[in-house]
Amino acid sequence: MTYVGAKLFERELKKGSTELLILSLVEHRPRHGYEISKLIEQRSEGLLKFNVASFYPLLYRLEERGFVIGRWVEKAGQRRRRYYQLTAAGKKVLKDQRSCWADFVHAINRITGEEHA
Amino acid sequence: MPEWSKEIHAALAGLNLNPAQEASVAEELAQHLEDRYEELRRQGLDDPEVSRLLRDELNNGQLVTEMKGLVSPSPAALSPGQDRHEKPLAGLGNDLRYTLRMLRLNPGFAAVAILSLALGIGANTAIFELLGAVLLRTLPVQSPQRLANIREIHGGRVGSTVARQRNFSFTLWQQIRLQQKAFSGIAAWSTETFDLGQGGEAHDVQGMWVSGRFFDTLGIQPFLGRLLTESDDYRGCGIRGVVISYAFWQRAFGGRADAVGSKLSLDGHPFDVIGVTPASFYGLEIGRNFDVAVPLCSETAIRTEGSWTESATTWWLDVIGRLNSGWTLGKANAQLGSIAPGIFTLTLPPEYDATERRDYLRFGLKAEPAATGVSELRAAYADPLRALLAISGLVLLLACTTNPIGRTFGTRQDEGKPDRLYQIVGLAGDTRYRDIHAEPTPIVFVSLYQAADAGTDSTFVVRSSEAPASLILSLKEAAAKSSLEIVLTFSILRTSILEKLTRERLMATLSGVYGALAAILAIVGIYGIISYMVIRRSSEMGLRIALGAQRRSVVGIVLREATVLVAGGLVVGTVVAIACARMVQTLLYGIKPVDPISLMVAAGGLLTIALISSLLPAVRAASVNPIEALREE
C-alpha cells in the first residue's frame, strides 16, 4: 500500500533532478524543447512526465542562469524551432551536479540497501 | 487541431513580457502543443479529448507562477540609442559613434565646441588649483585646526607699521603672552629681508623674526640640529643662533650636514646655524617662503639704532597661538576680551596726546582660525577685482578742492627732537610709492638736504638711456669709489611693478578667458538653435518665397525671431545675474553688484553676438529653393 507521502516524495525528487536531466540531454547536441521533454519521458519509461506549463519555466530558468542558450534555427522544409545548447557555465554545472548526484545515490543506496550480515 | 496562439497569449498576458519575448515564447509553446496533440492523436485519443487535456495543462496556472520574475518584463520606454539589454551604459558606443559622425560632418562647429570645452576645463582647473593652494591647503604643522591668529581690532593707530606683520608692538606682545590663558603655546613673529653679503650688491634672504616658543607652538620638529626654543629668546641675547629652512639649506649649503654649526652673515652680523626645519614647513605665509628664522631678541642687536622692539608705537608683530585642549575659539575670544582693556592701559605709549590715548584704550583683541596660514596673498585673491581696479588708478590725480599753497604744517619728530615746521611750496598729485594696491596716503616731499638725519638707507631713482646691465655695473663702481661699506640693491622699476601685478594679471587673464568662453558658447548655442529653427521651417520659408516674399524679408523674419529669443534670454539672464551678484558681492570691488552700465554693456554685447550668429542661418533660410522646399512637403 502506498501512503500519501509517496507522491510528495516523488514530486520533490523530480523537482530536484530535472535540471540535471535537461543539462545532460543537451550536453552533446542542441535539442528543442519538445524533444527534450519527450526524451525524459521515454528514457524514464514514463516515470518522469512534463507538460507545457511545467517544463518551459524550467528551461527558461536554465537559460536565464546562462547554463543553456536557446536559438531559433530554420532548416529547409521544416518550420523553425528553438534549439537549446549547453554553455560553458552549463558544462561546469552539469559536471558538478552529476558527481553530486552519483555520490548522493551511492550514499542513499548504502543506507537503504539490504544489510549484509 | 485547435489554434493555440490565442490561448497562449491569453495565458502569458499576466506576465507583461515585452512583445518580442512574448512572441518567441508563444511560438515555442504552440509548437510544443501541436507536437503533443499529434502524438496523443496517434495514440488513439479523439480531438475533443486531446484539446481539453492540453488546454487544462496550459491553463493550470503553473506557467504564470513559474515564469514570474524569470523573464524580464517589458521596459517602460526605450530611449534612443539605448539597446534592449538594459545595462546603465548600454548604447554608449552607439551614442559616441553618432557624436563623432555628427562632429565630422561639421568640423568648424566641432573645433569651436571642443576648443571652448578644453579652455573651460583648463581655466577651471587653473582656478581650482589656485583656490586650493591659496585658500584650502592647511599649514604643514601639527593639528593646524587648533591654531589661532590673534589680532588687534583698532580704529586707526598713530605710529609706524614696518613689516607685513602689523598687529602688535613688542610691548603689547609681551603683555598678551603674560596675561592670556586660552593658549597652551603662543608665539610672535614677523618678517624681514636680510642681506647675506658683506658690502657691495646685496644678496637678499627672506627672514623671519620668531619668539622663543614659535616652533614649539606650531609643533615642528627639527630636520637637522635643533630649533629655537624659549632659552634662545631672552632680552639682550645679541647675535646668536638661527634656524634655516630646508630649501635654503639645500640652496645655500648644498644640503651639507656641516651647515649646522657654521656661520651665516645677516646684515653683516655673524649668526650660528643651529638647525634646519623639515622640507614641508615653508613658514606661515602662503606664497612667501622663509629662508632664515632669527630670534626676536636679536632685533635690538641688528638694529642698534631705532630698534622696533624698543618702540611702543611700532607695529611689526603677528601673534599665533595653539588653543588649550578643551578651549574653543569663542572661549578664547572671551578671555582675550577680558584682558584687553588692562593690556592697552598698561602699554599706552607715553608720547600720545589725549585723543590718541582715548583711541588706543578702545582697541580690542580677537582670535581667528589660522589653520590655513595667514597671507596677504589670500586677501588679494579674495578681492581680485578690486586689486584689478587699483592698477588702473596707478597715478590717480585727485583734484584738490582747496588751494593750500603758502600755508604751513608741522611734523612730529622722534622723541627729544624739536618738531619741524614746513612751508608748502607746491602740490603734487597723489602717488603710490610702496604698494600700488594701497590707497594713496598723504605724502610730504622734503629735500634730502633739509633732513637733519637722512637715515642709513635711501632709495635712488635713476633714469637713463643706458641698458640696465651696464648701468648697474657703472653705479656699483661709482658707489665703491665712495665707500666699500655701501650696500646696494638694484631693481628695475618696470620689472618690479610687473612682479607686483602678477596676481592681478593672472586674475585678469582668467576673467578674460571666461568672458571669451561665455561669448563663444553663446555664439555656438544661438547658431545651433536658429539653424535648427530654419531647417524645421524651410518649407514655410519656401512657401513664403514662392508667394512672392523678398529674400530680405525672410532674413528679417529669422533675425526678428532670434532677437525675441535672445531678448527673453537677456531678461531672465539679467534677473539671474542680479540675484547671483548679491551672492558674490564679497568678490566684487569698485563696482556695485548691480551696476547698470556693466549690465547694459554686457546685454548689448550679447545681443550683437546673437544677431551675428543668427545671420548665417538667416541667409541660409533666404536662399531656400522654393520648389525643392515645397516638394519635400
Side-chain angles (χ1 to χ4, degrees), chain B residues 28-59:
Chain B
E28 192 172 18
L29 298 191
Q31 282 178 7
H32 184 102
L33 290 174
E34 282 160 21
D35 289 344
R36 184 111 172 92
Y37 177 88
E38 275 163 21
E39 188 197 329
L40 291 172
R41 285 294 301 234
R42 276 199 300 273
Q43 288 172 10
L45 278 80
D46 62 3
D47 172 78
E49 202 179 344
V50 173
S51 299
R52 190 187 48 79
L53 197 72
L54 294 182
R55 211 162 270 138
D56 284 352
E57 281 183 15
L58 179 66
N59 293 316

Side-chain angles (χ1 to χ4, degrees), chain A residues 34 38 79-81 84, chain B residues 27-28 31 34-35 39:
Chain A
Y34 184 73
K38 203 74 217 144
R79 60 183 175 181
R80 67 175 201 156
R81 280 194 177 272
Y84 292 85
Chain B
E27 187 179 347
E28 192 172 18
Q31 282 178 7
E34 282 160 21
D35 289 344
E39 188 197 329

Side-chain angles (χ1 to χ4, degrees), chain B residues 184-378:
Chain B
S184 58
I186 190 164
W189 63 286
S190 186
T191 52
E192 183 159 358
T193 306
F194 295 113
D195 175 20
L196 277 185
Q198 315 262 10
E201 190 176 351
H203 296 282
D204 289 346
V205 288
Q206 299 303 320
M208 191 158 61
W209 296 111
V210 298
S211 69
R213 292 203 60 195
F214 181 79
F215 292 111
D216 165 47
T217 300
L218 295 177
I220 292 170
Q221 300 301 318
F223 179 79
L224 215 64
R226 66 175 186 88
L227 301 181
L228 293 166
T229 62
E230 223 162 350
S231 63
D232 295 297
D233 184 26
Y234 54 91
R235 221 162 188 163
C237 63
I239 305 296
R240 300 187 76 89
V242 292
V243 164
I244 58 175
S245 75
Y246 183 91
F248 181 69
W249 176 55
Q250 292 290 330
R251 206 168 67 232
F253 293 93
R256 290 195 317 271
D258 64 5
V260 173
S262 64
K263 294 274 182 201
L264 190 67
S265 166
L266 300 178
D267 286 355
H269 302 280
F271 283 88
D272 292 316
V273 176
I274 62 164
V276 180
T277 58
S280 59
F281 183 68
Y282 51 80
L284 292 183
E285 283 184 295
I286 315 297
R288 219 179 271 265
N289 299 354
F290 88 102
D291 296 319
V292 190
V294 186
L296 272 188
C297 58
S298 295
E299 198 268 340
T300 46
I302 288 191
R303 221 182 323 269
T304 44
E305 275 177 48
S307 153
W308 300 346
T309 308
E310 307 292 349
S311 163
T313 55
T314 299
W315 281 267
W316 63 295
L317 294 170
D318 272 3
V319 172
I320 194 163
R322 182 174 290 279
L323 283 169
N324 271 322
S325 62
W327 280 64
T328 61
L329 211 57
K331 197 174 165 191
N333 268 316
Q335 206 265 330
L336 287 175
S338 71
I339 58 170
I343 288 178
F344 287 107
T345 311
L346 213 62
T347 56
L348 191 63
E351 62 268 40
Y352 272 9
D353 64 23
T355 323
E356 290 159 1
R357 280 162 180 266
R358 199 193 57 216
D359 288 346
Y360 186 83
L361 293 176
R362 282 190 193 144
F363 292 178
L365 296 173
K366 190 171 191 293
E368 293 167 337
T372 52
V374 289
S375 174
E376 281 190 327
L377 190 67
R378 181 169 307 149

Side-chain angles (χ1 to χ4, degrees), chain B residues 570-604:
Chain B
L570 283 178
V571 170
V572 176
T574 309
V575 172
V576 173
I578 290 171
C580 291
R582 293 195 190 286
M583 287 193 282
V584 295
Q585 198 158 6
T586 49
L587 292 177
L588 295 177
Y589 296 91
I591 60 165
K592 294 192 196 85
V594 183
D595 184 61
I597 295 174
S598 311
L599 283 176
M600 269 160 61
V601 169

Side-chain angles (χ1 to χ4, degrees), chain B residues 106 108-109 112 523-524 526-535 541 551 554-556 558-560 562 608-624:
Chain B
N106 204 340
F109 177 87
V112 171
I523 291 172
V524 172
I526 291 166
Y527 171 79
I529 289 171
I530 303 297
S531 300
Y532 178 67
M533 182 199 80
V534 165
I535 291 166
M541 299 301 173
R551 305 236 175 217
V554 171
V555 172
V558 176
L559 287 185
R560 206 156 40 238
T608 315
I609 286 174
L611 288 179
I612 291 170
S613 44
S614 46
L615 203 61
L616 191 65
V619 170
R620 205 179 290 151
S623 60
V624 161

